[in-house]
Amino acid sequence: MEQYYDKLMECVLEGEEEEAVEITRAEIENGTDPLDIVQKCLVPILDDVGDKFSKLEIFLPDLIMSADVAKAVKDEIRAHLLSSSNDSESAGKVAIGTVQGDVHDIGKNIVATLLEVNGYEVIDLGNDVAPYAFIETAKRENVDIIALSSLLTTSMPYMVDVLKTMEGLGIRDQYKVIVGGGPVSAEWAESIGADGYSNDANEAVELCRKIMAERKAG
């Protein structure tokens, strides 16, 4: 897998979307677990890209290009998982997005990817999402969980707005709300009344799994 990792990293950084999909397909056909590709290759690569962006080693066009390649790889993996799955039952439905005032989405994209390959239906609202857009989507799509991401401290108050708006509409108890992102903490999540906090993508999947188990248990 090391050779694949190096080649995928090269594709992501250079925007080679078609080649990234081809080598991913070949890696899966050679017997590599698709989930291993996500967790051991795609997630670390996107973490590295995000780190390069924060250090100004790459710029916004590069970040967008890399995200497009990662999405193509994710779609290939998801298609394979769906075609080989004997269990069509959804693990749950999640509306996810980066809150208003923040256009960062690498971390959010990683979480969305891991949720999808673990059987969740994901409605990705993108970035700079207004508070009511989360609520409107949750109601329309009948989601189980609303996942809010923020990479800027200046955008974190919009997480509060989502929760307060839900309370004002009398629908707070209908949905579980989880939060995450660089400046977000477990203490912050508790202080605003969120239902959970995750430090990374793997933890987010485990948190959603726990929430869904509790919902099904009644």
Side-chain angles (χ1 to χ4, degrees):
M1 188 181 282
E2 185 177 347
Q3 185 176 357
Y4 166 76
Y5 180 97
D6 292 340
K7 188 62 180 175
L8 183 60
M9 171 66 88
E10 182 181 325
C11 289
V12 168
L13 291 175
E14 295 183 4
E16 297 291 342
E17 197 170 308
E18 289 185 13
E19 187 173 357
V21 170
E22 288 176 7
I23 64 171
T24 299
R25 187 179 299 126
E27 189 73 14
I28 293 171
E29 289 173 354
N30 285 335
T32 301
D33 187 334
L35 291 179
D36 280 345
I37 291 177
V38 174
Q39 295 174 328
K40 297 179 181 179
C41 296
L42 192 59
V43 168
I45 285 172
L46 288 177
D47 279 341
D48 190 39
V49 169
D51 188 52
K52 289 180 186 298
F53 179 68
S54 68
K55 293 177 179 177
L56 300 181
E57 294 176 10
I58 62 172
F59 302 97
L60 187 58
D62 305 303
L63 189 67
I64 294 171
M65 179 180 67
S66 295
D68 287 343
V69 176
K71 182 181 184 302
V73 171
K74 180 201 74 173
D75 289 345
E76 175 66 23
I77 292 170
R78 183 172 181 271
H80 177 84
L81 288 169
L82 289 175
S83 67
S84 61
S85 175
N86 294 320
D87 184 5
S88 59
E89 184 181 354
S90 168
K93 187 178 284 191
V94 182
I96 188 171
T98 305
V99 295
Q100 189 170 341
D102 194 337
V103 297
H104 297 86
D105 63 3
I106 285 288
K108 182 267 298 176
N109 290 344
I110 294 173
V111 173
T113 296
L114 273 190
L115 286 170
E116 280 197 322
V117 299
N118 277 278
Y120 290 85
E121 294 178 70
V122 178
I123 299 99
D124 190 342
L125 300 177
N127 53 43
D128 195 21
V129 182
Y132 193 71
F134 284 104
I135 298 167
E136 191 175 49
T137 301
K139 292 169 67 176
R140 183 180 66 249
E141 301 289 342
N142 193 28
V143 308
D144 300 294
I145 300 167
I146 300 172
L148 310 175
S149 173
S150 173
L151 270 292
L152 298 173
T153 54
T154 52
S155 68
M156 287 168 64
Y158 288 108
M159 292 181 168
V160 180
D161 288 350
V162 173
L163 290 160
K164 284 187 174 179
T165 303
M166 291 172 69
E167 289 172 359
L169 292 171
I171 59 170
R172 176 64 187 90
D173 293 339
Q174 294 180 27
Y175 312 99
K176 295 296 183 180
V177 179
I178 63 174
V179 298
V184 182
S185 66
E187 289 75 22
W188 166 259
E190 185 176 357
S191 73
I192 66 174
D195 297 297
Y197 157 80
S198 63
N199 185 51
D200 58 38
N202 286 315
E203 194 175 301
V205 174
E206 288 304 314
L207 176 59
C208 288
R209 186 173 290 131
K210 179 182 176 184
I211 287 172
M212 291 308 301
E214 291 172 351
R215 284 177 74 95
K216 289 175 181 178

